[in-house]
């Protein structure tokens, strides 16, 4: 198995632009999580899905952030409009109830 | 307010010696604790875990100790190797919480010098 796949690996954009981060979980995993890592706050859970249904989005910073999971093999995290303070590494992770497996992350820089 | 705290942002240890990484938590509803290891440009990977019904779990060179009364856990690496150099995250799960719904600390960067 290729593991959790995230794209792009790096994204540099200008303030105000829309950013879309993508994730393919491990096949057979029924839970998917989006985390954000910053120096100040460490790893924060943004939202998680169970069987494609959003369960807890209380970690989503504000309305500029949205996440979808249209099917069991794909999820997106969208930021519109993006701001410099959104610059961070965004991780996607999946699990089938056992261990949590992380992707390699997307390094987002908003200028 | 951080529910999981790793107060040492970095730690430097000589190869062959013991590395001790510490973690404190505030939520008494946490029932499961994990340590993750992260190399640069990679996602965190699971290292070792411990249930709140235990006070020690050992896996090779890695041992996690849990002191529930002090709300403190620690990760011991013996002997430390240069390949152990990474950022280590402490994480906790609340009773009834999803396996992946973890609260992470900010991490401790371990450097093991040859």
């Amino acid at each position: 198995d290729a593991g959790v796949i995230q794209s792009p690996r790096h994204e540099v954009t200008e303030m105000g632009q829309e950013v879309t981060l993508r994730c393919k979980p491990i096949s057979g995993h029924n839970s998917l999580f989006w985390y954000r890592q910053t120096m100040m706050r460490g790893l924060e859970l943004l939202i998680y899905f169970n069987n494609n249904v959003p369960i807890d989005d209380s970690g989503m910073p504000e309305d500029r952030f949205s996440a979808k999971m249209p099917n069991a093999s794909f999820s997106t995290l969208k930021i519109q409009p993006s701001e410099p303070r959104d610059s961070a590494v965004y991780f996607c992770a999946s699990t089938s109830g056992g261990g949590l497996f992380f992707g390699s992350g997307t390094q987002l820089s908003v200028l | 307010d951080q529910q999981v705290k790793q107060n040492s942002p970095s730690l430097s240890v000589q190869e062959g010696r013991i590395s001790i990484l510490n973690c404190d938590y505030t939520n008494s509803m946490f029932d499961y604790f994990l340590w993750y290891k992260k190399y640069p440009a990679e996602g965190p990977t699971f290292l070792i875990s411990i249930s709140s019904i235990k006070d020690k779990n050992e896996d090779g060179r890695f041992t996690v100790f849990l002191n529930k009364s002090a709300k403190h856990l620690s990760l011991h690496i013996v002997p430390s190797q240069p390949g152990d150099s990474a950022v280590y995250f402490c994480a906790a799960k609340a009773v009834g919480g999803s396996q992946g719904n973890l609260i992470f600390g900010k991490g401790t960067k371990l450097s093991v010098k040859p």
Side-chain angles (χ1 to χ4, degrees):
Chain A
D1 197 320
V4 176
I5 300 173
Q6 291 186 246
S7 64
R9 288 298 304 271
H10 298 90
E11 176 80 36
V12 180
T13 191
E14 291 187 346
M15 182 175 62
Q17 296 297 306
E18 177 180 296
V19 174
T20 299
L21 311 182
R22 297 173 175 80
C23 176
K24 182 181 186 320
I26 292 173
S27 176
H29 283 189
N30 61 345
S31 297
L32 182 142
F33 302 78
W34 283 100
Y35 282 87
R36 177 172 68 176
Q37 183 191 7
T38 60
M39 289 293 292
M40 289 297 295
R41 302 177 69 87
L43 269 168
E44 301 174 277
L45 177 65
L46 300 178
I47 184 172
Y48 79 92
F49 296 83
N50 209 32
N51 294 320
N52 311 341
V53 176
I55 301 300
D56 182 358
D57 66 353
S58 59
M60 296 286 261
E62 46 197 273
D63 292 345
R64 297 184 297 105
F65 285 69
S66 62
K68 293 181 179 179
M69 191 164 186
N71 58 62
S73 59
F74 184 65
S75 176
T76 59
L77 177 67
K78 186 175 292 187
I79 308 172
Q80 166 64 17
S82 58
E83 296 182 2
R85 61 192 168 121
D86 302 330
S87 298
V89 182
Y90 291 81
F91 288 102
C92 176
S94 70
T95 182
S96 58
L100 190 62
F101 293 83
F102 284 82
S104 297
T106 294
Q107 173 80 59
L108 174 64
S109 297
V110 183
L111 307 177
Chain B
D1 189 29
Q2 288 261 305
Q3 295 187 63
V4 177
K5 300 177 184 178
Q6 294 178 256
N7 293 319
S8 298
S10 63
L11 175 67
S12 183
V13 172
Q14 203 68 32
E15 180 180 7
R17 305 296 291 269
I18 184 171
S19 294
I20 301 177
L21 295 97
N22 293 304
C23 178
D24 296 294
Y25 61 95
T26 58
N27 190 341
S28 57
M29 296 299 288
F30 289 149
D31 68 342
Y32 197 70
F33 303 88
L34 308 92
W35 284 93
Y36 279 78
K37 178 179 179 179
K38 183 186 177 306
Y39 291 118
E42 295 183 11
T45 55
F46 170 74
L47 184 59
I48 192 169
S49 63
I50 188 167
S51 165
S52 60
I53 63 174
K54 293 187 175 182
D55 55 16
K56 178 182 175 181
N57 187 27
E58 191 173 352
D59 183 4
R61 296 185 298 113
F62 303 90
T63 303
V64 56
F65 295 92
L66 175 62
N67 182 334
K68 281 184 294 183
S69 61
K71 292 191 175 68
H72 176 83
L73 64 154
S74 61
L75 174 68
H76 292 210
I77 307 173
V78 182
S80 304
Q81 300 174 353
D84 297 329
S85 297
V87 177
Y88 289 79
F89 290 98
C90 173
K93 182 186 79 67
V95 173
S98 163
Q99 193 64 267
N101 190 353
L102 303 175
I103 308 297
F104 283 86
K106 292 185 180 181
T108 297
K109 184 176 181 180
L110 173 65
S111 299
V112 180
K113 302 188 183 306

